[in-house]
Amino acid sequence: MPTLHRHEEEKFFVNAEGRKESVPSIHDPPTKELSVVVPSYNEEDRLPLMMDEALDYLEKRQKRDLSFTYEVIVVDDGSKDQTTKVAMKYCKKYGSDKVRVLSLVKNRGKGGAVRMGVLSSRGKKILMADADGATKFADIEKVEEGLKNLQPWPNQMAISCGSRAHLEKDSIAKRSYFRTLLMYGFHFLVWFLCVKEIRDTQCGFKLLTREAALRTFSTLHVERW
């Protein structure tokens, strides 16, 4: 099992009032329906668009369904820009029970950033979402449907991954011939040298049950992108 090192500064988050609070643990019982983990590295420009869209959706959903609770955890992966400052504006606007910012002492890589957020989450279900906002946030309902269709979950473990495979033809039509050639060349090399049964459609949405997230990220060895 890999050893997770957490710096002293990473054991706390700063709440909306500017006070330090201990981060929760994924080993604790869940207290939210959904945790959204957003790994962010130098994302001061793109993060606001993603956060505005996500929080608008989540707030409207909570008004429709009072039993729905959520949190958004922005993990600043040792950014050199104002990512933490930008994220803290949302913490102050919505409160630290809904938006939390976890600032890492140094850059770990996307895998390490996601793991730190996941292991500090409170949700029954945990969603990985990229800070660039490339995936429409309302599409979470599609991965939720995918997770639901996997029931019964063995040992409460299930993972639903968003896919862009159905958009491939449209994507190819908009690309230049040269880029399309490069894409197919890369796909062939991956197939020939690495794996033959898996196609990576590179969508940022991945939804995990709490137990699946615990098992997956507790055994994560590769922290980089």
Side-chain angles (χ1 to χ4, degrees):
M1 296 286 284
T3 302
L4 173 64
H5 175 68
R6 193 189 284 261
H7 292 276
E8 193 63 32
E9 298 94 318
E10 296 168 349
K11 296 177 181 177
F12 304 91
F13 69 93
V14 178
N15 65 21
E17 290 74 39
R19 294 192 299 270
K20 284 185 177 181
E21 288 189 32
S22 298
V23 297
S25 169
I26 196 170
H27 294 280
D28 299 333
T31 57
K32 300 287 181 185
E33 286 296 315
L34 177 70
S35 292
V36 181
V37 176
V38 186
S40 306
Y41 179 67
N42 294 341
E43 292 286 3
E44 66 176 357
D45 294 326
R46 297 193 295 184
L47 187 62
L49 292 173
M50 181 270 169
M51 291 290 283
D52 287 340
E53 182 188 359
L55 288 162
D56 180 64
Y57 169 85
L58 292 166
E59 285 290 293
K60 286 178 179 176
R61 180 165 169 178
Q62 190 171 61
K63 285 177 183 176
R64 292 196 310 268
D65 178 6
L66 296 178
S67 66
F68 175 74
T69 53
Y70 74 87
E71 66 173 349
V72 178
I73 303 170
V74 179
V75 185
D76 182 352
D77 190 20
S79 297
K80 296 179 174 66
D81 66 358
Q82 301 296 311
T83 295
T84 288
K85 188 176 179 180
V86 169
M88 281 301 298
K89 290 179 181 178
Y90 292 91
C91 175
K92 290 171 182 174
K93 180 178 179 180
Y94 292 92
S96 49
D97 188 52
K98 288 184 175 179
V99 179
R100 295 184 169 184
V101 184
L102 183 60
S103 298
L104 305 188
V105 172
K106 63 178 183 178
N107 178 258
R108 291 174 180 256
K110 185 174 181 180
V114 172
R115 174 165 67 176
M116 292 294 280
V118 167
L119 297 183
S120 305
S121 63
R122 297 175 288 165
K124 292 179 183 176
K125 299 184 186 76
I126 299 167
L127 177 76
M128 285 171 50
D130 289 341
D132 59 6
T135 305
K136 185 180 173 186
F137 197 84
D139 283 347
I140 183 180
E141 294 173 14
K142 296 177 181 177
V143 286
E144 284 179 316
E145 185 68 21
L147 200 68
K148 184 179 176 182
N149 291 339
L150 291 172
Q151 288 179 320
W153 302 326
N155 299 318
Q156 291 301 303
M157 291 188 292
I159 302 174
S160 175
C161 299
S163 169
R164 292 200 183 99
H166 62 294
L167 302 175
E168 202 168 77
K169 288 182 181 177
D170 291 341
S171 179
I172 290 170
K174 293 174 185 174
R175 281 198 185 100
S176 67
Y177 286 115
F178 180 65
R179 284 196 66 194
T180 301
L181 182 66
L182 286 177
M183 180 189 74
Y184 279 123
F186 174 71
H187 287 177
F188 172 77
L189 287 174
V190 171
W191 176 85
F192 186 73
L193 299 173
C194 305
V195 289
K196 291 181 169 58
E197 287 82 24
I198 298 174
R199 292 176 64 213
D200 182 5
T201 47
Q202 301 181 14
C203 179
F205 267 17
K206 299 184 177 53
L207 184 67
L208 305 90
T209 62
R210 191 172 182 82
E211 184 61 32
L214 172 61
R215 298 284 189 94
T216 303
F217 287 95
S218 295
T219 54
L220 179 72
H221 286 262
V222 180
E223 287 200 320
R224 302 307 302 173
W225 179 82

